Amino acid sequence: MGHTTLGVLPRTRYWKDVSELLSGPAPNHDIFAASARAAEKDLLQAAKDPVFIEAVRLLLAIPAAARAQDFGDALRAQDIAISNRPELLDLVSAAARRLDQVRAERGGHSDLGELAARALSATLTTSIGDALPGLFDATPDDVQEAARKLSWNKSVSQYTRSFFGNLVTGTLSYWLDRTLDREIGDGHRFPDVAARSAFQFDLEQYSWESSRIIKEFSGGWYGKTLHRDGGFSSSEAARFGHVALKKIVDDLRTRQVRSG
């Protein structure tokens, strides 16, 4: 998105607080909490973005499609243009192309949509890829089986949590990356690149913790909706995405109060 070249944070009161914390000795956790507060509006607005909604729909639909005997045909029924026996990279690329199509048809480019698309690609790559015998040794049958297992109650809880954790990390990094690389060196927050990398790792852990609330309802909701409707419509995806983001923002607010 080109945001790393901007070098400035937005000139809002909350992001001004973040800038002040970055320039001082504040603990990383305080910076994350202030950044989450500043990014609340962006996270909640994502629930209305057509690319975000489609990313959530695909997130939910792909494991369900893997239950079918013909995985490729079931994916095409979900508007994912793909071959009959897709490998992992085929699946990730086809999902990305579908989001590009939605972006072009329903409202053009948005940063929120781009972040959701990245979160989906990362989640599919890791959630399916980590279950394969090896990226180059895996067969299309292995890919389908790994995707199918994500539709199980326990697995889908972790899988959906991964997506929203990636989305929170991406949203906070989208703003923080504008200035953090300028904070490396003598007299700055990070003495070296290793310290900057450690900050990013801590940010990912913070985001992961914020998404734990998703595990409490996603598995049961997924199974109930799939049984009732046989799949996931855009309206159901929008509803699920809205509830998930609202729960995450509420959790972030609670942790901000505790840290304060």
Side-chain angles (χ1 to χ4, degrees), residues 35-255:
S35 300
R37 180 177 57 191
E40 279 184 10
K41 183 177 179 181
D42 292 311
L43 285 170
L44 292 175
Q45 284 182 338
K48 300 178 181 179
D49 187 282
V51 178
F52 166 80
I53 293 171
E54 183 67 1
V56 173
R57 189 185 73 83
L58 297 182
L59 179 82
L60 303 171
I62 288 171
R67 294 185 175 193
Q69 183 173 358
D70 190 327
F71 189 27
D73 190 55
L75 290 171
R76 289 189 291 273
Q78 298 300 321
D79 299 320
I80 302 174
I82 202 163
S83 61
N84 286 334
R85 289 171 50 80
E87 298 183 357
L88 177 57
L89 294 181
D90 299 328
L91 180 60
V92 174
S93 297
R97 289 195 300 272
R98 171 58 186 164
L99 295 183
D100 286 341
Q101 181 183 6
V102 170
R103 185 181 296 112
E105 293 176 351
R106 304 183 196 172
H109 173 83
S110 77
D111 292 336
L112 295 173
E114 178 67 19
L115 292 169
R118 293 184 181 187
L120 179 62
S121 292
T123 303
L124 290 174
T125 299
T126 56
S127 297
I128 297 176
D130 288 351
L132 298 177
L135 182 59
F136 298 106
D137 296 330
T139 67
D141 289 337
D142 292 328
V143 172
Q144 181 175 356
E145 179 62 13
R148 186 181 67 83
K149 289 180 178 179
L150 293 177
S151 69
W152 297 354
N153 189 301
K154 183 177 179 180
S155 297
V156 80
S157 297
Q158 192 79 354
Y159 168 64
T160 52
R161 180 187 182 183
S162 179
F163 172 79
F164 285 99
N166 285 330
L167 183 63
V168 174
T169 297
T171 301
L172 299 185
S173 295
Y174 171 70
W175 295 116
L176 288 173
D177 284 355
R178 295 171 179 239
T179 191
L180 286 180
D181 288 344
R182 298 166 67 106
E183 292 290 334
I184 300 173
D186 293 339
H188 294 281
R189 181 172 187 86
F190 309 115
D192 50 36
V193 174
R196 167 67 176 91
S197 297
F199 180 92
Q200 182 65 28
F201 177 82
D202 288 346
L203 175 61
E204 291 170 2
Q205 291 299 112
Y206 182 88
S207 300
W208 178 247
E209 283 302 311
S210 76
S211 65
R212 71 184 185 277
I213 191 71
I214 304 302
K215 295 181 66 176
E216 297 178 7
F217 77 97
S218 60
W221 178 90
Y222 186 94
K224 179 181 177 180
T225 304
L226 184 59
H227 176 74
R228 183 191 67 211
D229 301 337
F232 302 94
S233 65
S234 294
S235 60
E236 286 295 339
R239 187 174 297 111
F240 177 79
H242 171 76
V243 171
L245 289 174
K246 181 67 167 57
K247 286 181 178 292
I248 287 173
V249 167
D250 288 345
D251 182 79
L252 288 169
R253 287 174 180 166
T254 300
R255 287 198 287 149

Side-chain angles (χ1 to χ4, degrees), residues 17-18 20-32 189 199:
D17 292 343
V18 175
E20 291 174 354
L21 290 171
L22 282 169
S23 63
N28 287 351
H29 188 278
D30 289 352
I31 295 173
F32 302 152
R189 181 172 187 86
F199 180 92

